[in-house]
């Protein structure tokens, strides 16, 4: 009779330990931040010698929803479509942080659609000269609120790409 009670207690303890471990493991997974997308980009200068814009092309990687992307510069920048497209970046509208979808109604001002896909280019116009400007593209795990969302920071914000532009590059 004592061995039956011992076995019942051993099974009960095993079930309690297994339940505790399961709750602990699943609780750990719930606090994980979403994984930032993987991107490979290239940067080049476009335009004439008096006014140049930085073209950032997604060469390879994940499709990224544009409502989660923003660009920051070491000086104020504006983001837009290709020069001459009617949605061109313009340093007159520059700010330290630019949301990819900053136009009213959430229409991507970068003219690439709802996702940034391989082969698509966004254009960034820094205020004044492009020489020495550092431009970074950030991703945030949730949709960006407002036109200019403020300094990217926190556990849910990741820098996807960054480049310091030199006219001699």
């Amino acid at each position: 009779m004592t061995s039956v009670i011992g076995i019942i207690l051993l099974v009960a303890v095993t079930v309690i330990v297994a339940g505790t471990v399961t709750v602990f493991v699943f609780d750990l997974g719930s606090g994980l931040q979403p994984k930032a997308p993987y991107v490979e980009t290239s940067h080049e200068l476009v335009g004439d010698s008096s006014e140049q814009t930085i073209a950032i092309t997604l060469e390879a990687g994940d499709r990224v929803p544009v409502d989660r992307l923003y660009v920051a510069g070491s000086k104020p920048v504006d983001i837009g479509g290709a020069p001459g497209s009617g949605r061109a970046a313009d340093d007159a509208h520059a700010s330290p942080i630019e949301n990819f979808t900053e136009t009213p109604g959430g229409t991507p001002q970068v003219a690439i659609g709802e996702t940034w896909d391989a082969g698509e280019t966004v254009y960034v116009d820094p205020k004044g000269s492009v020489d020495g400007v550092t431009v970074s593209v950030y991703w945030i795990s949730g949709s960006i609120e407002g036109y200019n969302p403020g300094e990217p920071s926190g556990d849910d914000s990741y820098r996807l790409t960054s480049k310091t532009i030199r006219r001699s590059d």
Side-chain angles (χ1 to χ4, degrees):
M1 182 68 130
T2 352
S3 63
V4 172
I5 294 174
I7 291 173
I8 291 173
L9 286 174
L10 185 59
V11 169
V13 168
T14 303
V15 168
I16 291 171
V17 168
T20 303
V21 169
T22 302
V23 168
F24 179 73
V25 168
F26 283 116
D27 188 47
L28 281 179
S30 68
L32 295 176
Q33 293 294 327
K35 183 180 169 193
Y38 167 76
V39 299
E40 288 182 25
T41 60
S42 64
H43 300 72
E44 70 175 315
L45 294 176
V46 295
D48 60 32
S49 60
S50 65
E51 178 64 27
Q52 291 191 311
T53 299
I54 304 162
I56 305 171
T57 302
L58 180 60
E59 297 293 341
D62 299 328
R63 298 175 78 178
V64 187
V66 295
D67 67 344
R68 296 178 180 215
L69 291 169
Y70 50 101
V71 68
S74 58
K75 62 181 177 179
V77 296
D78 188 43
I79 187 170
S85 68
R87 288 186 161 180
D90 180 0
D91 63 3
H93 302 287
S95 60
I97 305 288
E98 287 282 317
N99 183 338
F100 269 43
T101 58
E102 85 171 355
T103 57
T107 305
Q109 75 174 33
V110 293
I112 59 174
E114 294 186 15
T115 58
W116 193 23
D117 300 311
E120 293 181 324
T121 302
V122 296
Y123 298 86
V124 178
D125 186 12
K127 196 166 192 170
S129 172
V130 297
D131 195 38
V133 173
T134 300
V135 176
S136 302
V137 176
Y138 289 86
W139 174 84
I140 191 166
S141 63
S143 292
I144 298 168
E145 300 296 327
Y147 294 133
N148 299 311
E151 189 63 32
S153 63
D155 292 339
D156 62 349
S157 179
Y158 302 93
R159 183 174 54 206
L160 299 178
T161 183
S162 188
K163 173 79 173 171
T164 300
I165 305 301
R166 303 275 182 229
R167 283 193 184 242
S168 60
D169 285 351

